[in-house]
């Protein structure tokens, strides 16, 4: 878009346009999330916590030339400044004008809960039918919606946006931006009730989103919604309800075996891979929307298996005395409490469950019946210890009968009498005004200031992205050896299990034993199985890789001591050209003879390893390996009267050789956001962010040297920042003396001097930095792959080098 077009659209207070030919196609409101500087229009927004104007000079140095500001004082050569009264309103006006250029269907979603889940599930279910643009993450606010809508282009033919409000008179602004043609109302809950006169006012506010829509999809269980939709202002809507026998789509459901629920809509049967009420409601919204868009029931049923749980905004932290903390102090209402308790149930590594909760300040005064219902939920989720803060919980403490229960009037009182915790999974769930982050800080295991953030939603995205590349029925192994490539074990593996991974793979038996001790029940392959570990593997139901006759005979000898085991799973490794481990083709007749002769042995899978799947120059060799694997496994599988899974593709192979998926694939490094294939790296989400802080800032004159061996001499007066990370944390010395960079305030700065055991030095000359400022060592804009290349290493090495003394923080969005 041309800068003069923006001036004409916004009718600014003033405009200083130095370059009238300037074009942009990206909008930015956060200097830390800058894309391509020369293609960006930056909106300097003032909030109670920050002021975007503070970052204009820095952004101009980085190459940004176009700014929307409310302060007319800025004068920077070659930069364009548009001065407006309200930068947020200007952003919304620009997005609204952009939206009106497109005429394909737009789905607008609002409600108290489920907006993001319905949006993400629709995207999963519709990508084969539409080129869809959607809100990123939970971009549903006064700022998030315009940034979402700005993504619309001629490359799409469907848009899905969510809209959230917390106060009156907000939705009409979002409605003018989204202008949905199809609306979805998920539900009306109690969140933000304190800002509205009553539920009628809040419902009417949400319904404002659909003033220009032609169709509205909703659950007909809410009598208030049904009554309000009879008002004249909603006469234009085609109302598609679902639920009762009187609805447009009557829905009948009943639970099925395992983890599915079967529902019937208009004589069509659908299998939803969930059993909880919230997921069933969200999935039914998606199904009815697809029917409305003309997707056939048969196609919908085929695609429903794609659905997976959408992550919530929370952190999983290492707690004191071997405990785990689930930090969910983002918000508190009945629905989010249910979701958090469901997630607490996934932390199976610890059997003792504790809830620390505050009053429900957002929903006003509650009744005794409400607290009795909460007590029933705590029973359902096996909560042994309840710690509640607030006058309402204290008033109704008689409603609770947990084995242990403590009640406090204030957070300060709780902090003054904090009980002992040991080997517990602790859910901390509080309304914002209770400041439960103080509680989390007290409970968190104290280590040094360098931490590794593991983004579980990004992990889930990468998992599901690879799933989308697979043929129906193809299984997946997640490689979690070496502490999941350095990112952690049970907390991360819990997420993979929660997402329905078929197999886990570790390198050695002790890794598998550790997962079993933390109550991980998913099948586990031990790829580096050693003969001396076979006994413990049998006891822990770990499934060994068998790659030669010596190990096969050793396993047979161990199994003789377990006559009660009639069938023990093994995984046969074949050597097709990697020449590391595995049976050769001439070994197969003897292998078949031995396995068929021992009824205790059961081949669960047969596999091989591609030597160079990521390298196009070696494609002929890779295809030779695949052909040899096909020939060898045909011979092996034909010798047995049961199904043997076949797999040879690794992360790179999934992208580059989809024809060789066989029955299963192994997902490794790209699950964690890294890939040596540029096209793959471009679509994967960053999972690992290594962060630290500045501990000291020094001013060193020119010609002085920095660090050990005086290997780095300063050419000018230099401002140096010291950060507490070194090679003992896994930060490689190969990044010393300018090879490595980190990010401070959105800007890359070089590492100078030799990296020390516990710290390193940075050149931050010309920047306004202070002790305590955050430093991104690896992350968005400074990826592990980029730093591995700079160090002359590989991504695997940088990930697995990160020391266990660096705490892992697991983040759910």
């Amino acid at each position: 878009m041309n800068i003069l077009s923006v001036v004409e659209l916004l009718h600014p207070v003033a405009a200083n346009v130095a370059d009238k030919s300037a074009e942009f196609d990206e909008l930015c409101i956060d200097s830390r999330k800058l894309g391509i500087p020369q293609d960006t229009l930056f909106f300097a927004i003032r909030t109670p916590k920050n002021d975007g104007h503070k970052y204009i000079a820095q952004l101009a140095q980085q190459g940004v030339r176009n700014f929307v500001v409310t302060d007319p004082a800025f004068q920077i050569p070659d930069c364009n400044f548009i001065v407006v009264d309200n930068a947020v309103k200007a952003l919304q006006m620009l997005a609204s004008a952009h939206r009106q250029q497109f005429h394909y269907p737009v789905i607008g979603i609002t409600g108290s809960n489920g907006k993001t889940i319905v949006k993400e599930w629709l995207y999963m279910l519709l990508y084969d039918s539409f080129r869809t643009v959607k809100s990123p993450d939970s971009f549903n606010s006064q700022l998030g919606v315009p940034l979402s809508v700005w993504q619309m282009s001629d490359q799409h033919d469907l848009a899905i946006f969510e809209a959230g409000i917390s106060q009156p008179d907000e939705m009409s602004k979002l409605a003018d931006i989204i202008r949905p043609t199809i609306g979805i109302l998920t539900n009306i809950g109690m969140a933000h009730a304190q800002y509205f006169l009553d539920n009628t006012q809040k419902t009417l506010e949400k319904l404002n989103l659909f003033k220009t829509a032609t169709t509205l999809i909703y659950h007909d269980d809410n009598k208030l919604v049904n009554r309000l939709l009879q008002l004249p202002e909603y006469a234009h809507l085609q109302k598609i309800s679902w639920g009762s026998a009187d609805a447009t789509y009557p829905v009948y459901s009943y639970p099925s075996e395992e983890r599915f629920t079967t529902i019937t809509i208009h004589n069509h049967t659908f299998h939803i891979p969930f059993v909880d009420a919230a997921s069933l409601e969200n999935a039914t919204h998606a199904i009815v929307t697809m029917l409305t868009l003309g997707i056939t029931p048969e196609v919908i049923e085929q695609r429903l298996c794609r659905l997976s749980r959408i992550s919530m905004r929370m952190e999983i932290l290492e707690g004191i005395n071997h405990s785990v903390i689930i930090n969910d102090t983002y918000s508190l209402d009945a629905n989010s409490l249910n979701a958090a308790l469901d997630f607490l149930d996934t932390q199976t590594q610890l059997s003792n469950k504790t809830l620390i909760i505050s009053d429900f300040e957002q929903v006003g005064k509650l009744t005794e019946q409400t607290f009795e219902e909460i007590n029933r939920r705590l029973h359902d989720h096996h909560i042994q210890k309840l710690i509640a803060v607030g006058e309402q919980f204290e008033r109704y403490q008689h409603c609770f009968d947990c084995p242990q229960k403590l009640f406090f009037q204030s957070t300060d009182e709780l902090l003054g009498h904090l009980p002992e915790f040991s080997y517990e999974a602790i859910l901390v769930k509080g309304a914002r005004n209770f400041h439960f982050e103080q509680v989390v800080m007290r409970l968190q295991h104290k280590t040094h200031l360098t931490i590794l953030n593991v983004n579980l939603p990004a992990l889930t995205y990468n998992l599901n992205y690879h799933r989308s590349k697979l043929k129906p029925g193809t299984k997946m192994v997640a490689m979690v050896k070496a502490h999941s490539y350095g990112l952690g074990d049970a907390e991360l593996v819990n997420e993979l299990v929660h997402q329905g991974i078929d197999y886990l793979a570790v390198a050695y038996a002790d890794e598998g034993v550790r997962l079993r001790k933390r109550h991980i029940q998913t099948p586990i392959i031990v790829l580096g199985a050693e003969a001396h570990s076979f006994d413990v593997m049998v006891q822990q139901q770990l499934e060994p890789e068998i790659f030669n006759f010596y190990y096969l005979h050793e396993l047979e000898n161990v199994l003789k001591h377990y006559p009660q085991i009639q069938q023990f799973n093994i995984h046969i490794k074949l050597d097709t050209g990697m020449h590391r481990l595995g049976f050769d083709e001439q070994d197969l007749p003897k292998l078949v003879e031995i396995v068929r002769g021992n009824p205790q042995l059961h081949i669960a899978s047969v596999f091989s390893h591609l030597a160079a799947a990521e390298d196009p120059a070696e494609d002929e060799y890779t295809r030779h390996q695949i052909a040899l694997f096909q020939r060898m496994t045909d011979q092996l599988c034909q010798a047995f009267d049961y199904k043997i899974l076949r797999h040879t593709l690794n992360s790179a192979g999934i992208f580059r050789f989809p024809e060789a998926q066989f029955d299963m694939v192994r997902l490794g490094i790209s699950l964690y956001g890294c890939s040596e294939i540029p096209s793959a790296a471009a679509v994967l989400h960053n999972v690992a962010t290594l962060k630290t802080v500045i501990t000291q800032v020094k001013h060193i004159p020119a010609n002085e040297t920095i660090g050990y061996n005086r290997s780095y001499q300063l050419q000018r007066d230099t401002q140096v920042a010291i950060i507490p990370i070194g090679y003992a944390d896994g930060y490689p010395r190969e990044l010393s003396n300018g090879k490595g960079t980190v990010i401070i305030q959105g800007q890359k700065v070089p590492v100078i001097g030799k990296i020390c055991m516990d710290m390193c030095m940075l050149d931050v000359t010309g920047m306004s930095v202070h002790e305590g400022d955050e430093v991104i060592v690896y992350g968005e804009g400074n990826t592990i792959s980029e730093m591995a290349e700079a160090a002359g290493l590989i991504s695997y090495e940088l990930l697995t080098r990160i020391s266990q003394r660096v705490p892992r923080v697991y983040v759910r969005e």
Side-chain angles (χ1 to χ4, degrees):
M1 189 172 188
N2 182 268
I3 193 69
L4 291 180
S5 300
V6 180
V7 174
E8 182 178 354
L9 174 69
L10 297 182
H11 303 293
V13 174
N16 181 8
V17 180
D19 180 6
K20 296 181 179 179
S21 64
E23 303 274 345
F24 66 91
D25 55 26
E26 296 183 16
L27 305 183
C28 180
I29 62 171
D30 187 339
S31 62
R32 297 167 299 181
K33 299 179 180 179
L34 179 64
I36 302 173
Q38 60 269 26
D39 293 339
T40 297
L41 174 63
F42 180 78
F43 287 77
I45 295 172
R46 285 193 170 99
T47 71
K49 294 184 178 180
N50 210 343
D51 184 357
H53 295 84
K54 294 192 303 185
Y55 305 100
I56 288 177
Q58 170 193 320
L59 290 167
Q61 288 181 350
Q62 292 176 254
V64 179
R65 291 293 174 263
N66 304 304
F67 298 88
V68 174
V69 300
T70 56
D71 185 342
F74 287 92
Q75 299 288 331
I76 299 177
D78 302 323
C79 289
N80 301 318
F81 289 92
I82 302 172
V83 184
V84 297
D85 289 325
N86 186 318
V88 174
K89 183 178 180 181
L91 173 66
Q92 294 172 341
M93 290 174 61
L94 183 59
S96 179
H98 181 73
R99 159 68 181 94
Q100 294 179 60
Q101 299 179 59
F102 307 101
H103 304 289
Y104 44 78
V106 175
I107 299 174
I109 307 173
T110 193
S112 296
N113 300 96
K115 299 182 291 295
T116 300
I117 295 174
V118 172
K119 176 202 67 185
E120 294 294 336
W121 282 0
L122 279 172
Y123 182 77
M124 291 180 193
L125 295 168
L126 291 172
Y127 68 74
D128 290 330
S129 302
F130 296 92
R131 296 167 297 168
T132 306
V133 59
K134 66 179 177 70
S135 306
D137 299 323
S138 296
F139 275 37
N140 58 31
S141 66
Q142 300 292 309
L143 293 174
V145 166
L147 294 176
S148 300
V149 169
W150 184 257
Q151 298 177 110
M152 294 179 73
S153 76
D154 291 326
Q155 302 302 311
H156 305 114
D157 52 23
L158 179 70
I160 310 175
F161 302 123
E162 55 176 304
I165 58 165
S166 58
Q167 298 186 43
D169 304 318
E170 288 186 339
M171 188 61 84
S172 59
K173 300 170 187 175
L174 302 184
D176 288 338
I177 302 169
I178 297 175
R179 294 179 178 269
T181 54
I182 298 173
I184 301 175
L185 181 65
T186 57
N187 60 55
I188 304 294
M190 295 302 294
H192 308 297
Q194 72 273 29
Y195 298 114
F196 296 90
L197 296 175
D198 52 29
N199 221 26
T200 298
Q201 184 191 26
K202 186 168 73 168
T203 304
L204 287 170
E205 180 69 17
K206 292 184 181 294
L207 289 173
N208 275 337
L209 178 61
F210 313 120
K211 60 186 181 183
T212 61
T214 57
T215 302
L216 175 62
I217 296 166
Y218 64 101
H219 190 351
D220 74 344
D221 67 337
N222 191 311
K223 295 180 180 180
L224 175 61
V225 171
N226 285 318
R227 177 169 59 80
L228 294 177
L229 286 176
Q230 303 306 312
L231 295 173
E233 51 264 45
Y234 304 112
H236 66 286
L237 285 171
Q238 178 192 8
K239 302 174 185 67
I240 299 179
S241 60
W242 63 267
S244 71
D246 296 326
T248 311
Y249 286 105
V251 176
Y252 306 93
S253 68
Y254 55 93
S256 303
E257 294 181 0
E258 299 180 341
R259 292 179 291 178
F260 284 81
T261 298
T262 301
I263 71 169
T264 302
I265 303 176
H266 279 190
N267 298 320
H268 294 290
T269 298
F270 303 94
H271 295 86
I272 299 174
F274 303 102
V275 295
D276 62 287
S279 295
L280 295 179
E281 180 177 347
N282 294 328
T284 308
H285 277 303
I287 292 170
V288 172
T289 303
M290 293 177 74
L291 291 170
T292 303
L293 289 170
I295 310 297
T296 65
E298 293 77 14
V299 169
I300 296 172
E301 170 64 7
Q302 291 173 4
R303 297 180 185 175
L304 285 174
C305 62
R306 297 176 181 173
L307 297 185
S308 60
R309 295 191 182 276
I310 305 299
S311 302
M312 302 169 289
R313 186 183 285 105
M314 59 179 65
E315 293 179 335
I316 309 170
L317 309 170
E318 182 182 357
I320 57 176
N321 299 326
H322 308 284
S323 293
V324 167
I325 305 164
I326 300 174
N327 175 18
D328 190 16
T329 56
Y330 175 72
S331 65
L332 176 59
D333 58 47
N335 290 302
S336 67
L337 174 60
N338 286 339
L341 288 169
D342 283 342
F343 181 65
L344 179 63
D345 288 342
T346 70
Q347 302 303 299
T348 55
Q349 69 271 32
L350 293 167
S351 57
N352 292 326
K353 309 294 184 186
T354 296
L355 172 64
I356 303 177
I357 190 171
S358 75
D359 277 350
F360 291 70
E361 286 295 310
Q362 292 184 345
V363 298
K365 188 175 181 179
L366 302 176
T367 66
E368 183 167 344
Q369 288 73 25
T370 303
F371 288 92
E372 290 173 347
E373 174 58 29
I374 293 172
N375 184 54
R376 282 191 287 273
R377 293 181 202 167
L378 302 190
H379 273 287
D380 292 341
H381 293 278
H382 307 291
I383 301 297
Q384 285 92 20
K385 184 188 294 183
L386 169 66
I387 301 173
V389 178
E391 294 179 357
Q392 293 183 4
F393 266 106
E394 191 169 45
R395 183 182 308 122
Y396 292 107
Q397 60 181 280
H398 61 275
C399 297
F400 296 92
D401 56 4
C402 293
Q404 300 179 61
K405 54 183 180 177
L406 296 168
F407 298 87
F408 301 92
Q409 287 193 347
S410 68
T411 303
D412 287 341
E413 185 184 356
L414 166 62
L415 292 170
H417 300 83
L418 204 62
E420 293 291 327
F421 298 93
S422 180
Y423 292 94
E424 297 172 44
I426 307 167
L427 170 61
V428 184
K429 183 73 175 157
R432 293 189 197 183
N433 56 318
F434 279 84
H435 301 291
F436 268 15
E437 63 272 10
Q438 301 173 60
V439 179
V440 172
M441 289 178 64
R442 288 279 296 275
L443 295 177
Q444 191 174 357
H445 180 68
K446 300 299 187 297
T447 52
H448 72 86
L449 297 172
T450 299
I451 64 172
L452 180 65
N453 267 2
V454 180
N455 189 313
L456 296 180
L459 181 85
T460 298
Y461 173 89
N462 294 338
L463 176 67
N464 289 328
Y465 179 81
H466 288 88
R467 275 179 171 156
S468 74
K469 297 290 183 183
L470 303 182
K471 300 170 186 174
T474 304
K475 296 181 182 295
M476 188 178 288
V477 182
M479 307 297 292
V480 296
K481 60 183 180 178
H483 285 271
S484 301
Y485 292 39
L487 300 186
D489 49 26
E491 292 80 12
L492 186 148
V493 171
N494 267 329
E495 184 69 13
L496 295 173
V497 172
H498 192 55
Q499 297 296 331
I501 196 70
D502 298 292
Y503 267 95
L504 301 167
V506 298
Y508 299 108
D510 58 344
E511 295 178 320
V513 171
R514 186 167 56 248
L515 293 177
R516 287 287 186 248
K517 286 184 176 179
R518 302 191 77 175
H519 306 288
I520 302 297
Q521 300 302 317
T522 300
I524 299 174
I525 306 172
V526 181
L527 296 174
E530 298 167 311
H532 71 271
S533 301
F534 283 155
D535 195 68
V536 71
M537 291 177 64
V538 172
Q539 295 172 18
Q540 297 291 333
Q541 295 182 305
L542 303 174
E543 304 178 11
E545 166 195 336
I546 300 296
F547 48 81
N548 61 29
F549 290 116
Y550 170 75
Y551 275 52
L552 182 59
H553 291 313
E554 288 295 303
L555 176 61
E556 286 189 294
N557 289 334
V558 169
L559 287 173
K560 290 176 182 177
H561 299 290
Y562 297 91
Q564 72 277 16
I565 296 179
Q566 299 181 6
Q567 180 176 294
F568 185 71
N569 282 347
I570 61 174
H571 299 262
I572 299 296
K573 177 70 174 290
L574 304 179
D575 185 359
T576 59
M578 182 77 170
H579 300 317
R580 190 171 61 180
L581 294 174
F583 291 96
D584 296 323
E585 189 168 14
Q586 61 267 28
D587 295 328
L588 293 182
K590 181 179 177 181
L591 175 64
V592 169
E593 180 183 357
I594 293 173
V595 175
R596 290 185 64 174
N598 188 336
Q600 284 188 292
L601 297 175
H602 180 270
I603 301 176
S605 83
V606 57
F607 69 104
S608 188
H609 196 93
L610 301 179
E614 73 283 353
D615 188 353
E618 297 292 346
D619 281 358
E620 182 177 353
Y621 190 77
T622 300
R623 292 192 176 93
H624 163 74
Q625 280 196 269
I626 293 170
L628 179 57
F629 180 73
Q630 177 83 61
R631 186 171 74 237
M632 292 175 71
T633 56
D634 282 349
Q635 181 180 345
L636 183 67
C637 293
Q638 288 169 8
F640 296 89
D641 58 2
Y642 56 83
K643 175 70 174 179
I644 298 175
L645 300 175
R646 299 191 280 183
H647 52 107
T648 193
L649 293 187
N650 55 8
S651 291
I654 295 171
F655 277 93
R656 302 197 64 245
F657 298 95
E659 70 278 7
Q661 290 177 12
F662 292 97
D663 304 300
M664 191 156 65
V665 299
R666 300 187 302 275
L667 182 56
I669 190 68
S670 60
L671 174 64
Y672 307 109
C674 301
S675 178
E676 297 177 28
I677 303 170
S679 60
V683 298
L684 297 177
H685 285 192
N686 180 67
V687 173
T689 300
L690 184 61
K691 302 164 60 174
T692 189
V693 298
I694 295 174
T695 53
Q696 188 172 6
V697 179
K698 302 172 72 74
H699 297 272
I700 311 297
N703 299 318
E704 289 290 324
T705 59
I706 300 293
Y708 283 118
N709 304 121
R710 305 188 68 199
S711 62
Y712 192 91
Q713 186 173 26
L714 301 177
Q715 302 303 307
R716 52 171 166 73
D717 292 350
T718 304
Q719 182 177 233
V720 177
I722 294 86
I723 57 176
I725 184 172
Y727 58 78
D729 301 294
Y731 195 49
R733 296 182 80 231
E734 291 90 340
L735 293 175
S736 299
N737 290 325
K739 290 184 179 179
T741 58
V742 301
I743 294 180
I744 302 176
Q745 298 174 357
Q747 181 175 332
K748 283 190 176 184
V749 300
V751 176
I752 57 176
K754 287 188 176 180
I755 293 171
C756 311
M757 179 181 286
D758 307 302
M759 63 190 74
C760 61
M761 292 70 72
L762 313 172
D763 183 347
V764 292
T765 304
M767 299 179 66
S768 178
V769 300
H770 305 88
E771 286 84 357
D773 284 357
E774 182 180 79
V775 179
I776 303 298
V777 181
Y778 305 144
E780 291 290 347
N782 202 58
T783 65
I784 288 174
S785 298
E786 292 170 332
M787 290 299 97
E789 184 177 359
L793 304 171
I794 58 175
S795 303
Y796 300 78
E797 192 168 355
L798 260 63
L799 272 177
T800 56
R801 272 194 187 189
I802 299 173
S803 168
Q804 288 305 303
R805 81 176 186 180
V806 176
R808 275 65 171 165
V809 176
Y810 301 90
V811 181
R812 292 175 68 92
E813 297 294 340

